[in-house]
Amino acid sequence: MKRTAFVTVALVLLSFSAAPTLAQDAEEPFVGIGLGEHRLHFDSDDRDLVDVGREDEIGGHLRVGLIRPGYRIYGQWTLIRPSGYLVSSLTVNADALWFATPRLSVFGGVGGGAITLSWDGDNSFDTMPAVSLQGGVIYAVTRHVDVELGVRQMFTRLRTEPQGNGGEVDVDLDRLSIATAGVNLRF
C-alpha cells in the first residue's frame, strides 16, 4: 500500500514537472495576437446633430513583451475599424501574475498610452492620453503557446470635431470596455 501511494505521488509530481507552464522561474519574451469586442462610449455636446452613445465593434490587437516570475510587461497596439471612423491605441502595460496551477495564471494590471481617432473623409486625427485597467486568465497549452482571455477598461477624454458635421459638434470618446481572446507565443 505504501509503495502504491509513493508511486502515485511520484507520477503526479513528474507529470507537473513535465507539463507546460507559464514563466514561473525564467524570463521569456512573448508576442501575442487576438480579437475582441470593443464597446466605445461616445458623448456629444449636441445630440441632435450627431448620433452618439455606445457602439460595439470588433477589433484586433498585437502584443510584444516580456514575462517574468510573478509579472509581465508588454506593449499593445489595438486597431478598431468600423465604418465611418478608425480608432487605434498604443499602450505600455504591466500585469501581476498569480499562478492557480502550473498551467493556469490569473492576471491583473495597469497601462498607459494614447488613443487616436480619425473620421473617414477627414485628413486629420485626434490623439489623447489614456490609462487602462485589465484582468483575465492565461492558460499554457504547450511549453511555448498560451491562450489568454481578458477584460480591459481604457479611460480617456478624446474630444474631436468630425468635418462631416461642419466642425460644429464636439464628440467625446470617454472610455472603451474591451473583452478579448488571444494567443501568445513565448520564446
Side-chain angles (χ1 to χ4, degrees), residues 30 63-68 70-76 91-98 106-113 131-136 138 148 151-152:
F30 74 94
R63 289 188 182 130
V64 177
L66 190 63
I67 186 169
R68 296 191 43 115
Y71 69 94
R72 68 180 182 169
I73 298 172
Y74 59 96
Q76 180 169 315
T91 58
V92 175
N93 307 280
D95 294 338
L97 301 172
W98 297 277
V106 176
F107 70 88
V110 297
V131 296
S132 69
L133 300 172
Q134 60 262 358
I138 302 170
E148 180 174 327
V151 294
R152 187 175 198 193

Side-chain angles (χ1 to χ4, degrees), residues 80-142:
I80 308 162
R81 180 70 173 119
S83 63
Y85 59 93
L86 171 74
V87 176
S88 66
S89 69
L90 185 59
T91 58
V92 175
N93 307 280
D95 294 338
L97 301 172
W98 297 277
F99 297 95
T101 70
R103 288 183 151 204
L104 182 67
S105 176
V106 176
F107 70 88
V110 297
I115 289 183
T116 299
L117 186 144
S118 64
W119 300 94
D120 287 352
D122 190 346
N123 293 329
S124 65
F125 58 89
D126 298 295
T127 303
M128 283 296 287
V131 296
S132 69
L133 300 172
Q134 60 262 358
V137 295
I138 302 170
Y139 183 77
V141 177
T142 70

Side-chain angles (χ1 to χ4, degrees), residues 166-187:
E168 301 170 2
V169 180
D170 290 332
V171 176
D172 301 341
L173 175 59
D174 295 323
R175 65 187 161 97
L176 281 78
S177 303
I178 307 163
T180 63
V183 175
N184 300 322
L185 302 175
R186 292 180 281 128
F187 305 100

